[in-house]
Amino acid sequence: IAQIAEAAHVSKMTVFNYFPAKESMFFEFAVERLPDLGQAVRERPAGVPPVVALHRYVRAELERRAEWTGFHDGVAEFARVIFGSPTLIEGFGRMWRDLEQDLLAALTEAAGLPEPVDLAQRLRAVWAGQDAPRPGEVVIGLESVRLRIAVAQIAATLQQLTTLNQLRQSL
């Protein structure tokens, strides 16, 4: 914080006016550097299937060594700070889950399916006895299940590749 304040020619307290905690600086920096998979699906050219648009997007990001891929310069120091902080690890995990939910929404929309059900929220309601499924009720259709599994696989794969790239460059 002291180094950032010095470089910005402000006091440490001024830095905290913009960032309530050290971790929030990393999140602010990183959130704009995560892949926008949902946008790649939403903004794909007419006639291009969503999976093809995702493939093209990820491939282009890898080729340009986008920050989120872990292939760019400066990865080792950034990764060292992140993996040294449980708060940062948790925060980045949350950001990846948000990315996953956005991709699910984009693919659901592209498939013309109903808006995705928040399964965690639905389970909490069921367990609390507030929203028990009625006999024979289909809580989530087969196509929605398939989309959720595909999205989980895509997000997990990208997150693991990114982490492995960061680790590889940190050694």
Side-chain angles (χ1 to χ4, degrees):
I1 299 295
Q3 291 172 335
I4 291 169
E6 184 179 325
H9 305 292
V10 298
S11 72
K12 287 194 313 186
M13 294 312 294
T14 301
V15 172
F16 283 113
N17 288 338
Y18 294 94
F19 302 100
K22 284 191 299 186
E23 293 82 7
S24 60
M25 283 186 256
F26 277 89
F27 298 140
E28 184 73 25
F29 174 78
V31 74
E32 294 185 13
R33 285 159 181 81
L34 284 176
D36 198 341
L37 304 175
Q39 182 180 3
V41 170
R42 289 182 186 98
E43 294 180 359
R44 72 190 188 283
V48 174
V51 172
V52 172
L54 279 174
H55 180 263
R56 289 177 182 168
Y57 173 78
V58 170
R59 186 137 186 118
E61 290 285 275
L62 288 167
E63 287 174 4
R64 77 173 185 88
R65 295 181 176 272
E67 290 87 353
W68 68 267
T69 65
F71 281 143
H72 64 290
D73 293 337
V75 169
E77 188 58 36
F78 191 70
R80 198 174 351 271
V81 172
I82 292 168
F83 292 116
S85 165
T87 303
L88 289 176
I89 291 171
E90 181 182 323
F92 277 100
R94 229 180 357 265
M95 289 168 45
W96 275 98
R97 286 189 299 278
D98 291 347
L99 176 149
E100 188 174 335
Q101 290 306 306
D102 184 54
L103 177 57
L104 176 62
L107 288 173
T108 298
E109 181 182 310
L113 295 171
E115 189 174 321
V117 173
D118 182 332
L119 295 180
Q121 182 180 20
R122 182 71 193 267
L123 275 173
R124 282 191 299 275
V126 167
W127 289 335
Q130 299 167 348
D131 190 20
R134 292 170 291 290
E137 177 186 2
V138 175
V139 175
I140 183 169
L142 184 58
E143 276 306 305
S144 293
V145 170
R146 287 183 179 137
L147 271 180
R148 284 175 185 275
I149 291 169
V151 167
Q153 290 174 329
I154 292 165
T157 299
L158 292 176
Q159 190 174 11
Q160 288 300 311
L161 287 173
T162 299
T163 301
L164 291 169
N165 286 340
Q166 290 171 346
L167 180 61
R168 182 183 55 78
Q169 290 196 35
S170 297
L171 298 176

